[in-house]
Amino acid sequence: MLSQIKTVLTIILVVLIGVKSPAASEQAPATYIHAGVLIDVKAQEAKSDQTIVVSGGMIVDVADGFIKAPEGSKTINLKDATVLPGLIDAHVHLLISIGPDTQLKFLTQNDSEATLDGVVNAHATLMAGFTTVQDLGGRSEAIFALRDAIAKGQVPGPRVLASGDIISPNASETMISCSGVDECRRVTRAHIIAGADVIKSQVTGDSVLSIGAPPARFTAEELRAIVETAQSMGRKTVIHAHGTDSINFALRQKVHSIEHGTYINNESVRLFRKTGAVLVPTLLAGQVVEGFAANPMAPPAYRSEASQFTSRMIAATARAHKGGVKIAFGSDAGAPPHGLNAQEFSLMVKAGLTPMEALRSATIIAAEHLGVENTTGVIEQGKAADIIAVRNRNPLEDVSVLEAIDFVMKNGVVYKGGDE
């Protein structure tokens, strides 16, 4: 009975927010968007008075000046706005919202309930201007179902690439384990067959800070087996790593990205440059960890280290940026609240990125990192019509304005704003 009620509530939610299917957008007449300022993240410049023509969910033209729409076509007036590509968050957890009941939910929540939580979180993410995300660590069946429902237009949300369960040296919530080279190959292969778009792993079985006994650890051969098996099946491997040893160990096994990277050193920077790996800093997560430090029940050593976490993460990102490491945007949303992903931008600027560099990290660079650069990441002919805007504000002057998005279009469908 409870599941039936939740199904009805989901249907009501979809109806209330006015979801349109991809098929509907394909049948609609062309839409002419008049952009007062268009940020070209590829050319790294802002262009005035541009017209973006959208048809069938795709961008079919970008032209100078405000072109009058032909009869039967729609015009969206964003002449007072700064227009830019839909944002990309390379590290989220759509099924999770960390709070007092998090551990209880891990123990009691079933996949259907987790998926329904994901529906709400995906909607908040889309309304915040993020039209593509990479979900790194969530119940496989639940997140794959949510990903597929969004792709079919059944529920609103960003385009989702998902890792499902994390491959770890020891299993716990949202993790699967393997031991030995052959088993790690088998587990990786099976996980991709089950639907994983990307493989997320971690060098050790710890999460953020290691206090007490050393955690379980992959051997170089085991981690290399995961990376090579994933790559042979067209998947990248991303690694959760905070500690210096774990970061450098993973980079030597030629992983594709380091998630978090809190204790990067100069050797880390050298390895990033050598391998071409990407750093996804997730600076907002530092604030969450600092919140844990306020818990009087936490071990004193943990509290001492956690209280400095944001500053350590910002310093690590600054070191990576100065050293020429490629940086992709990731908020770790689910640790911080969903829909507040864009707060990450201000922290990136604090770490030394310019507003344009921060924007590129969440558009063209993140698109390349996720392997969706042929679909999204820039506003140009042939790309999906993933377009957002902020009115009467310029994110190149103050990147924090992206925390309040006025217009959201994904695949040519307007989800927010868009009055003629």
Short mmCIF file of all heavy atoms in Angstrom, two decimals, residues 57 59 84-90 92 94 121-134 147 150-151 155-161 329 341 345 362-364 366-367 370 372 375-379 383-389 405 407-416:
data_model
loop_
_atom_site.label_atom_id
_atom_site.label_comp_id
_atom_site.label_asym_id
_atom_site.label_seq_id
_atom_site.Cartn_x
_atom_site.Cartn_y
_atom_site.Cartn_z
N GLY A 57 15.08 19.93 -29.67
CA GLY A 57 15.93 19.71 -28.51
C GLY A 57 17.39 20.03 -28.75
O GLY A 57 18.22 19.87 -27.85
N ILE A 59 20.54 22.72 -30.51
CA ILE A 59 20.91 24.06 -30.97
C ILE A 59 21.20 23.95 -32.46
O ILE A 59 22.10 23.22 -32.87
CB ILE A 59 22.13 24.59 -30.21
CG1 ILE A 59 21.82 24.72 -28.71
CG2 ILE A 59 22.59 25.92 -30.79
CD1 ILE A 59 23.04 24.97 -27.85
N LEU A 84 24.40 31.12 -20.56
CA LEU A 84 25.56 30.23 -20.60
C LEU A 84 25.10 28.78 -20.70
O LEU A 84 23.91 28.49 -20.54
CB LEU A 84 26.45 30.43 -19.38
CG LEU A 84 25.85 30.28 -17.98
CD1 LEU A 84 26.95 29.93 -16.97
CD2 LEU A 84 25.19 31.60 -17.53
N PRO A 85 26.03 27.87 -20.99
CA PRO A 85 25.63 26.46 -21.11
C PRO A 85 25.11 25.92 -19.79
O PRO A 85 25.50 26.37 -18.71
CB PRO A 85 26.94 25.75 -21.50
CG PRO A 85 27.86 26.82 -21.96
CD PRO A 85 27.47 28.06 -21.24
N GLY A 86 24.21 24.93 -19.87
CA GLY A 86 23.79 24.22 -18.67
C GLY A 86 25.02 23.71 -17.92
O GLY A 86 25.98 23.24 -18.52
N LEU A 87 24.98 23.81 -16.60
CA LEU A 87 26.12 23.45 -15.78
C LEU A 87 26.22 21.94 -15.60
O LEU A 87 25.22 21.22 -15.69
CB LEU A 87 26.03 24.15 -14.43
CG LEU A 87 25.97 25.68 -14.49
CD1 LEU A 87 25.66 26.27 -13.12
CD2 LEU A 87 27.27 26.25 -15.04
N ILE A 88 27.44 21.49 -15.33
CA ILE A 88 27.71 20.06 -15.16
C ILE A 88 28.38 19.86 -13.80
O ILE A 88 29.39 20.51 -13.50
CB ILE A 88 28.62 19.53 -16.27
CG1 ILE A 88 27.97 19.74 -17.65
CG2 ILE A 88 28.95 18.05 -16.06
CD1 ILE A 88 28.89 19.43 -18.82
N ASP A 89 27.83 18.99 -13.00
CA ASP A 89 28.43 18.63 -11.71
C ASP A 89 28.95 17.20 -11.81
O ASP A 89 28.18 16.26 -11.98
CB ASP A 89 27.39 18.74 -10.59
CG ASP A 89 28.01 18.70 -9.20
OD1 ASP A 89 29.02 17.99 -9.03
OD2 ASP A 89 27.47 19.36 -8.28
N ALA A 90 30.26 17.06 -11.72
CA ALA A 90 30.90 15.76 -11.95
C ALA A 90 30.93 14.87 -10.71
O ALA A 90 31.50 13.78 -10.76
CB ALA A 90 32.33 15.96 -12.47
N VAL A 92 28.09 14.03 -7.64
CA VAL A 92 26.91 14.18 -6.79
C VAL A 92 26.49 12.80 -6.27
O VAL A 92 26.97 11.77 -6.71
CB VAL A 92 25.73 14.83 -7.54
CG1 VAL A 92 26.11 16.19 -8.10
CG2 VAL A 92 25.19 13.92 -8.65
N LEU A 94 22.69 11.68 -5.79
CA LEU A 94 21.29 12.08 -5.88
C LEU A 94 20.38 11.33 -4.90
O LEU A 94 19.32 11.84 -4.54
CB LEU A 94 20.77 11.87 -7.31
CG LEU A 94 21.31 12.83 -8.37
CD1 LEU A 94 20.81 12.43 -9.74
CD2 LEU A 94 20.93 14.28 -8.06
N ASN A 121 15.53 15.12 -5.34
CA ASN A 121 16.86 15.74 -5.40
C ASN A 121 17.26 16.09 -6.83
O ASN A 121 17.93 17.11 -7.07
CB ASN A 121 17.90 14.81 -4.77
CG ASN A 121 17.64 14.58 -3.29
OD1 ASN A 121 17.05 15.43 -2.62
ND2 ASN A 121 18.07 13.44 -2.79
N ALA A 122 16.87 15.25 -7.77
CA ALA A 122 17.18 15.53 -9.18
C ALA A 122 16.46 16.79 -9.65
O ALA A 122 17.02 17.60 -10.40
CB ALA A 122 16.79 14.34 -10.05
N HIS A 123 15.22 16.95 -9.22
CA HIS A 123 14.46 18.16 -9.59
C HIS A 123 15.13 19.40 -9.03
O HIS A 123 15.30 20.42 -9.74
CB HIS A 123 13.02 18.05 -9.08
CG HIS A 123 12.19 19.24 -9.40
ND1 HIS A 123 11.73 20.11 -8.44
CD2 HIS A 123 11.75 19.73 -10.58
CE1 HIS A 123 11.03 21.08 -9.01
NE2 HIS A 123 11.03 20.88 -10.31
N ALA A 124 15.55 19.36 -7.76
CA ALA A 124 16.24 20.51 -7.15
C ALA A 124 17.53 20.84 -7.89
O ALA A 124 17.88 22.01 -8.08
CB ALA A 124 16.53 20.21 -5.68
N THR A 125 18.23 19.80 -8.33
CA THR A 125 19.50 19.99 -9.05
C THR A 125 19.27 20.66 -10.40
O THR A 125 19.99 21.59 -10.78
CB THR A 125 20.19 18.63 -9.24
OG1 THR A 125 20.40 18.02 -7.95
CG2 THR A 125 21.53 18.78 -9.94
N LEU A 126 18.25 20.21 -11.11
CA LEU A 126 17.93 20.80 -12.41
C LEU A 126 17.51 22.26 -12.25
O LEU A 126 17.94 23.13 -13.02
CB LEU A 126 16.82 20.00 -13.08
CG LEU A 126 16.38 20.48 -14.47
CD1 LEU A 126 17.53 20.42 -15.47
CD2 LEU A 126 15.19 19.66 -14.97
N MET A 127 16.70 22.56 -11.25
CA MET A 127 16.25 23.93 -11.03
C MET A 127 17.42 24.85 -10.66
O MET A 127 17.33 26.08 -10.82
CB MET A 127 15.19 23.98 -9.94
CG MET A 127 13.87 23.31 -10.29
SD MET A 127 13.05 24.03 -11.75
CE MET A 127 13.52 22.83 -13.00
N ALA A 128 18.49 24.28 -10.17
CA ALA A 128 19.68 25.07 -9.84
C ALA A 128 20.57 25.31 -11.05
O ALA A 128 21.63 25.93 -10.92
CB ALA A 128 20.48 24.36 -8.74
N GLY A 129 20.16 24.82 -12.21
CA GLY A 129 20.90 25.08 -13.44
C GLY A 129 21.86 23.99 -13.86
O GLY A 129 22.60 24.16 -14.84
N PHE A 130 21.83 22.88 -13.18
CA PHE A 130 22.73 21.76 -13.53
C PHE A 130 21.96 20.78 -14.39
O PHE A 130 21.07 20.08 -13.94
CB PHE A 130 23.27 21.10 -12.26
CG PHE A 130 24.28 21.97 -11.56
CD1 PHE A 130 23.85 22.98 -10.70
CD2 PHE A 130 25.63 21.83 -11.79
CE1 PHE A 130 24.77 23.82 -10.08
CE2 PHE A 130 26.56 22.65 -11.18
CZ PHE A 130 26.13 23.66 -10.32
N THR A 131 22.32 20.75 -15.67
CA THR A 131 21.60 19.93 -16.65
C THR A 131 22.25 18.58 -16.89
O THR A 131 21.67 17.73 -17.57
CB THR A 131 21.47 20.70 -17.98
OG1 THR A 131 22.77 21.09 -18.43
CG2 THR A 131 20.60 21.93 -17.81
N THR A 132 23.44 18.39 -16.34
CA THR A 132 24.14 17.10 -16.42
C THR A 132 24.87 16.87 -15.10
O THR A 132 25.48 17.80 -14.57
CB THR A 132 25.16 17.06 -17.57
OG1 THR A 132 24.50 17.34 -18.81
CG2 THR A 132 25.84 15.69 -17.66
N VAL A 133 24.80 15.64 -14.59
CA VAL A 133 25.56 15.30 -13.38
C VAL A 133 26.15 13.91 -13.52
O VAL A 133 25.67 13.08 -14.30
CB VAL A 133 24.69 15.35 -12.10
CG1 VAL A 133 24.11 16.73 -11.87
CG2 VAL A 133 23.58 14.29 -12.13
N GLN A 134 27.18 13.67 -12.73
CA GLN A 134 27.74 12.32 -12.59
C GLN A 134 27.52 11.89 -11.14
O GLN A 134 28.03 12.53 -10.22
CB GLN A 134 29.23 12.31 -12.93
CG GLN A 134 29.86 10.92 -12.87
CD GLN A 134 31.22 10.89 -13.51
OE1 GLN A 134 31.39 10.33 -14.59
NE2 GLN A 134 32.21 11.46 -12.86
N ARG A 147 18.21 7.34 -13.38
CA ARG A 147 18.90 7.80 -14.60
C ARG A 147 18.06 7.52 -15.83
O ARG A 147 17.86 8.39 -16.69
CB ARG A 147 20.25 7.09 -14.71
CG ARG A 147 21.00 7.32 -16.01
CD ARG A 147 22.09 6.26 -16.20
NE ARG A 147 21.55 4.93 -16.34
CZ ARG A 147 22.26 3.80 -16.26
NH1 ARG A 147 23.56 3.87 -16.03
NH2 ARG A 147 21.68 2.63 -16.40
N ILE A 150 14.75 9.60 -16.08
CA ILE A 150 15.01 10.97 -16.52
C ILE A 150 15.27 10.99 -18.03
O ILE A 150 14.77 11.85 -18.75
CB ILE A 150 16.19 11.57 -15.75
CG1 ILE A 150 15.80 11.79 -14.28
CG2 ILE A 150 16.64 12.88 -16.39
CD1 ILE A 150 16.96 12.19 -13.39
N ALA A 151 16.07 10.04 -18.51
CA ALA A 151 16.40 9.98 -19.94
C ALA A 151 15.16 9.78 -20.79
O ALA A 151 15.08 10.29 -21.92
CB ALA A 151 17.41 8.87 -20.19
N VAL A 155 10.47 11.67 -15.49
CA VAL A 155 10.61 12.58 -14.35
C VAL A 155 11.63 13.64 -14.72
O VAL A 155 12.52 13.39 -15.54
CB VAL A 155 11.05 11.84 -13.05
CG1 VAL A 155 9.99 10.87 -12.59
CG2 VAL A 155 12.38 11.13 -13.25
N PRO A 156 11.52 14.84 -14.15
CA PRO A 156 12.46 15.90 -14.49
C PRO A 156 13.76 15.75 -13.72
O PRO A 156 13.77 15.35 -12.56
CB PRO A 156 11.72 17.17 -14.04
CG PRO A 156 10.89 16.71 -12.89
CD PRO A 156 10.47 15.29 -13.22
N GLY A 157 14.84 16.06 -14.39
CA GLY A 157 16.13 16.00 -13.72
C GLY A 157 17.24 16.21 -14.73
O GLY A 157 17.01 16.27 -15.94
N PRO A 158 18.46 16.33 -14.25
CA PRO A 158 19.59 16.49 -15.15
C PRO A 158 19.91 15.18 -15.86
O PRO A 158 19.51 14.09 -15.40
CB PRO A 158 20.73 16.89 -14.20
CG PRO A 158 20.35 16.26 -12.90
CD PRO A 158 18.85 16.30 -12.83
N ARG A 159 20.61 15.26 -16.95
CA ARG A 159 21.18 14.08 -17.59
C ARG A 159 22.11 13.42 -16.56
O ARG A 159 22.92 14.08 -15.93
CB ARG A 159 21.96 14.53 -18.83
CG ARG A 159 22.58 13.46 -19.67
CD ARG A 159 23.31 14.10 -20.85
NE ARG A 159 22.40 14.82 -21.75
CZ ARG A 159 22.27 16.14 -21.78
NH1 ARG A 159 22.98 16.91 -20.96
NH2 ARG A 159 21.44 16.71 -22.63
N VAL A 160 22.00 12.12 -16.38
CA VAL A 160 22.75 11.44 -15.32
C VAL A 160 23.67 10.38 -15.90
O VAL A 160 23.25 9.54 -16.70
CB VAL A 160 21.79 10.78 -14.30
CG1 VAL A 160 22.58 10.01 -13.23
CG2 VAL A 160 20.89 11.81 -13.64
N LEU A 161 24.93 10.43 -15.48
CA LEU A 161 25.84 9.30 -15.63
C LEU A 161 26.05 8.77 -14.22
O LEU A 161 26.23 9.55 -13.28
CB LEU A 161 27.17 9.71 -16.24
CG LEU A 161 27.17 10.04 -17.74
CD1 LEU A 161 26.69 11.47 -17.96
CD2 LEU A 161 28.54 9.85 -18.34
N PHE A 329 34.50 20.57 -12.15
CA PHE A 329 33.60 20.97 -11.07
C PHE A 329 32.92 19.76 -10.46
O PHE A 329 32.39 18.90 -11.15
CB PHE A 329 32.54 21.92 -11.63
CG PHE A 329 31.55 22.46 -10.64
CD1 PHE A 329 31.69 23.74 -10.15
CD2 PHE A 329 30.48 21.69 -10.21
CE1 PHE A 329 30.76 24.26 -9.25
CE2 PHE A 329 29.55 22.19 -9.32
CZ PHE A 329 29.69 23.47 -8.83
N ASN A 341 24.45 23.32 -5.24
CA ASN A 341 25.70 22.92 -5.90
C ASN A 341 26.56 24.11 -6.29
O ASN A 341 27.79 24.06 -6.18
CB ASN A 341 25.40 22.10 -7.16
CG ASN A 341 24.36 21.02 -6.95
OD1 ASN A 341 23.27 21.29 -6.47
ND2 ASN A 341 24.69 19.80 -7.34
N PHE A 345 31.30 27.27 -6.67
CA PHE A 345 32.02 28.22 -7.52
C PHE A 345 32.83 29.24 -6.71
O PHE A 345 33.98 29.52 -7.02
CB PHE A 345 31.04 28.97 -8.44
CG PHE A 345 30.56 28.17 -9.61
CD1 PHE A 345 29.21 27.83 -9.72
CD2 PHE A 345 31.43 27.76 -10.61
CE1 PHE A 345 28.75 27.09 -10.81
CE2 PHE A 345 30.98 27.03 -11.70
CZ PHE A 345 29.64 26.69 -11.80
N ALA A 362 32.92 23.68 -15.03
CA ALA A 362 31.56 23.13 -14.90
C ALA A 362 30.84 23.04 -16.23
O ALA A 362 29.64 22.78 -16.27
CB ALA A 362 30.75 23.99 -13.94
N THR A 363 31.56 23.27 -17.33
CA THR A 363 30.95 23.18 -18.66
C THR A 363 31.85 22.36 -19.58
O THR A 363 31.81 21.13 -19.56
CB THR A 363 30.67 24.60 -19.23
OG1 THR A 363 31.86 25.40 -19.16
CG2 THR A 363 29.56 25.28 -18.45
N ILE A 364 32.70 23.03 -20.32
CA ILE A 364 33.47 22.33 -21.35
C ILE A 364 34.44 21.30 -20.76
O ILE A 364 34.60 20.20 -21.31
CB ILE A 364 34.20 23.36 -22.24
CG1 ILE A 364 34.81 22.68 -23.47
CG2 ILE A 364 35.23 24.18 -21.46
CD1 ILE A 364 35.28 23.68 -24.52
N ALA A 366 34.23 19.76 -17.69
CA ALA A 366 33.47 18.67 -17.10
C ALA A 366 32.85 17.78 -18.18
O ALA A 366 32.79 16.55 -18.03
CB ALA A 366 32.38 19.22 -16.19
N ALA A 367 32.41 18.38 -19.28
CA ALA A 367 31.85 17.59 -20.39
C ALA A 367 32.88 16.63 -20.96
O ALA A 367 32.59 15.46 -21.23
CB ALA A 367 31.31 18.51 -21.48
N LEU A 370 33.48 13.79 -18.47
CA LEU A 370 32.40 12.80 -18.44
C LEU A 370 32.22 12.09 -19.78
O LEU A 370 31.44 11.14 -19.87
CB LEU A 370 31.09 13.47 -18.04
CG LEU A 370 30.76 13.51 -16.54
CD1 LEU A 370 31.83 14.21 -15.74
CD2 LEU A 370 29.41 14.17 -16.31
N VAL A 372 30.91 13.50 -22.48
CA VAL A 372 29.68 13.97 -23.14
C VAL A 372 29.93 15.25 -23.93
O VAL A 372 29.00 16.01 -24.21
CB VAL A 372 28.54 14.18 -22.11
CG1 VAL A 372 28.15 12.86 -21.47
CG2 VAL A 372 28.93 15.21 -21.04
N THR A 375 27.80 16.10 -26.82
CA THR A 375 26.40 16.35 -26.52
C THR A 375 26.16 17.71 -25.89
O THR A 375 25.22 18.41 -26.25
CB THR A 375 25.86 15.26 -25.57
OG1 THR A 375 26.01 13.98 -26.19
CG2 THR A 375 24.40 15.49 -25.21
N THR A 376 27.02 18.09 -24.95
CA THR A 376 26.74 19.29 -24.15
C THR A 376 28.05 19.94 -23.71
O THR A 376 29.13 19.49 -24.05
CB THR A 376 25.85 18.91 -22.95
OG1 THR A 376 25.38 20.10 -22.30
CG2 THR A 376 26.59 18.03 -21.96
N GLY A 377 27.93 21.02 -22.95
CA GLY A 377 29.12 21.69 -22.41
C GLY A 377 29.41 23.04 -23.02
O GLY A 377 30.11 23.86 -22.44
N VAL A 378 28.89 23.29 -24.22
CA VAL A 378 29.05 24.58 -24.90
C VAL A 378 27.75 24.90 -25.64
O VAL A 378 26.98 24.00 -25.96
CB VAL A 378 30.23 24.60 -25.90
CG1 VAL A 378 31.56 24.39 -25.20
CG2 VAL A 378 30.03 23.53 -26.97
N ILE A 379 27.54 26.20 -25.89
CA ILE A 379 26.39 26.61 -26.70
C ILE A 379 26.89 26.79 -28.13
O ILE A 379 27.52 27.80 -28.46
CB ILE A 379 25.77 27.91 -26.15
CG1 ILE A 379 25.17 27.66 -24.76
CG2 ILE A 379 24.68 28.42 -27.12
CD1 ILE A 379 24.58 28.89 -24.11
N LYS A 383 24.83 20.86 -30.62
CA LYS A 383 24.81 20.40 -29.23
C LYS A 383 23.38 20.40 -28.71
O LYS A 383 22.49 21.08 -29.24
CB LYS A 383 25.68 21.31 -28.36
CG LYS A 383 27.16 21.29 -28.71
CD LYS A 383 27.80 19.95 -28.41
CE LYS A 383 29.32 20.00 -28.42
NZ LYS A 383 29.91 20.33 -29.72
N ALA A 384 23.16 19.63 -27.66
CA ALA A 384 21.86 19.64 -26.99
C ALA A 384 21.57 21.05 -26.48
O ALA A 384 22.47 21.77 -26.06
CB ALA A 384 21.85 18.65 -25.83
N ALA A 385 20.32 21.43 -26.50
CA ALA A 385 19.92 22.76 -26.05
C ALA A 385 19.83 22.77 -24.53
O ALA A 385 18.74 22.79 -23.94
CB ALA A 385 18.61 23.18 -26.68
N ASP A 386 21.00 22.71 -23.89
CA ASP A 386 21.13 22.83 -22.43
C ASP A 386 21.60 24.26 -22.16
O ASP A 386 22.78 24.59 -22.37
CB ASP A 386 22.15 21.83 -21.89
CG ASP A 386 21.75 20.38 -22.12
OD1 ASP A 386 20.57 20.13 -22.44
OD2 ASP A 386 22.61 19.50 -21.96
N ILE A 387 20.70 25.11 -21.73
CA ILE A 387 20.96 26.55 -21.66
C ILE A 387 20.39 27.10 -20.36
O ILE A 387 19.25 26.78 -20.00
CB ILE A 387 20.31 27.27 -22.86
CG1 ILE A 387 20.90 26.73 -24.18
CG2 ILE A 387 20.50 28.78 -22.77
CD1 ILE A 387 20.12 27.14 -25.42
N ILE A 388 21.18 27.92 -19.66
CA ILE A 388 20.69 28.58 -18.45
C ILE A 388 20.97 30.07 -18.54
O ILE A 388 21.71 30.52 -19.42
CB ILE A 388 21.34 27.99 -17.18
CG1 ILE A 388 22.86 28.28 -17.15
CG2 ILE A 388 21.07 26.49 -17.09
CD1 ILE A 388 23.52 27.94 -15.83
N ALA A 389 20.38 30.84 -17.63
CA ALA A 389 20.60 32.29 -17.65
C ALA A 389 20.36 32.88 -16.28
O ALA A 389 19.56 32.36 -15.48
CB ALA A 389 19.69 32.95 -18.68
N ILE A 405 19.63 30.82 -10.27
CA ILE A 405 19.43 30.76 -11.71
C ILE A 405 17.99 31.15 -12.06
O ILE A 405 17.04 30.71 -11.42
CB ILE A 405 19.73 29.34 -12.24
CG1 ILE A 405 21.19 28.95 -11.95
CG2 ILE A 405 19.43 29.23 -13.73
CD1 ILE A 405 22.22 29.79 -12.65
N PHE A 407 16.70 31.00 -15.43
CA PHE A 407 16.18 30.31 -16.61
C PHE A 407 16.92 28.99 -16.78
O PHE A 407 18.15 28.94 -16.67
CB PHE A 407 16.38 31.18 -17.86
CG PHE A 407 16.04 30.50 -19.17
CD1 PHE A 407 14.74 30.49 -19.63
CD2 PHE A 407 17.03 29.88 -19.92
CE1 PHE A 407 14.43 29.86 -20.84
CE2 PHE A 407 16.73 29.25 -21.12
CZ PHE A 407 15.42 29.24 -21.59
N VAL A 408 16.15 27.93 -17.01
CA VAL A 408 16.76 26.61 -17.24
C VAL A 408 16.06 25.93 -18.41
O VAL A 408 14.84 25.77 -18.42
CB VAL A 408 16.63 25.70 -15.99
CG1 VAL A 408 17.21 24.31 -16.29
CG2 VAL A 408 17.33 26.31 -14.79
N MET A 409 16.86 25.55 -19.40
CA MET A 409 16.40 24.72 -20.52
C MET A 409 17.31 23.50 -20.62
O MET A 409 18.52 23.62 -20.54
CB MET A 409 16.45 25.52 -21.83
CG MET A 409 16.20 24.67 -23.08
SD MET A 409 16.39 25.62 -24.63
CE MET A 409 14.81 26.46 -24.70
N LYS A 410 16.71 22.34 -20.76
CA LYS A 410 17.48 21.12 -20.98
C LYS A 410 16.87 20.37 -22.16
O LYS A 410 15.66 20.14 -22.20
CB LYS A 410 17.46 20.23 -19.73
CG LYS A 410 18.18 18.91 -19.92
CD LYS A 410 17.80 17.92 -18.84
CE LYS A 410 18.08 16.50 -19.30
NZ LYS A 410 17.27 15.51 -18.59
N ASN A 411 17.71 20.03 -23.12
CA ASN A 411 17.23 19.33 -24.32
C ASN A 411 16.08 20.09 -24.99
O ASN A 411 15.14 19.49 -25.52
CB ASN A 411 16.79 17.91 -24.01
CG ASN A 411 17.96 16.97 -23.79
OD1 ASN A 411 19.08 17.21 -24.24
ND2 ASN A 411 17.73 15.88 -23.05
N GLY A 412 16.13 21.43 -24.94
CA GLY A 412 15.13 22.23 -25.61
C GLY A 412 13.85 22.43 -24.84
O GLY A 412 12.95 23.15 -25.29
N VAL A 413 13.73 21.83 -23.67
CA VAL A 413 12.53 21.96 -22.84
C VAL A 413 12.82 22.98 -21.73
O VAL A 413 13.81 22.87 -21.02
CB VAL A 413 12.12 20.61 -22.22
CG1 VAL A 413 10.90 20.79 -21.30
CG2 VAL A 413 11.81 19.60 -23.31
N VAL A 414 11.94 23.97 -21.60
CA VAL A 414 12.10 24.98 -20.56
C VAL A 414 11.51 24.47 -19.24
O VAL A 414 10.35 24.11 -19.18
CB VAL A 414 11.42 26.31 -20.96
CG1 VAL A 414 11.52 27.32 -19.83
CG2 VAL A 414 12.06 26.87 -22.22
N TYR A 415 12.35 24.45 -18.22
CA TYR A 415 11.90 24.00 -16.90
C TYR A 415 11.76 25.16 -15.92
O TYR A 415 11.12 25.02 -14.88
CB TYR A 415 12.90 22.99 -16.33
CG TYR A 415 12.84 21.65 -17.04
CD1 TYR A 415 13.64 21.40 -18.15
CD2 TYR A 415 12.00 20.64 -16.60
CE1 TYR A 415 13.61 20.18 -18.80
CE2 TYR A 415 11.93 19.41 -17.24
CZ TYR A 415 12.75 19.19 -18.35
OH TYR A 415 12.69 17.99 -18.99
N LYS A 416 12.36 26.29 -16.24
CA LYS A 416 12.31 27.44 -15.33
C LYS A 416 12.45 28.72 -16.15
O LYS A 416 13.30 28.80 -17.03
CB LYS A 416 13.45 27.34 -14.31
CG LYS A 416 13.43 28.35 -13.19
CD LYS A 416 14.57 28.07 -12.23
CE LYS A 416 14.52 28.93 -10.99
NZ LYS A 416 15.64 28.61 -10.05
#
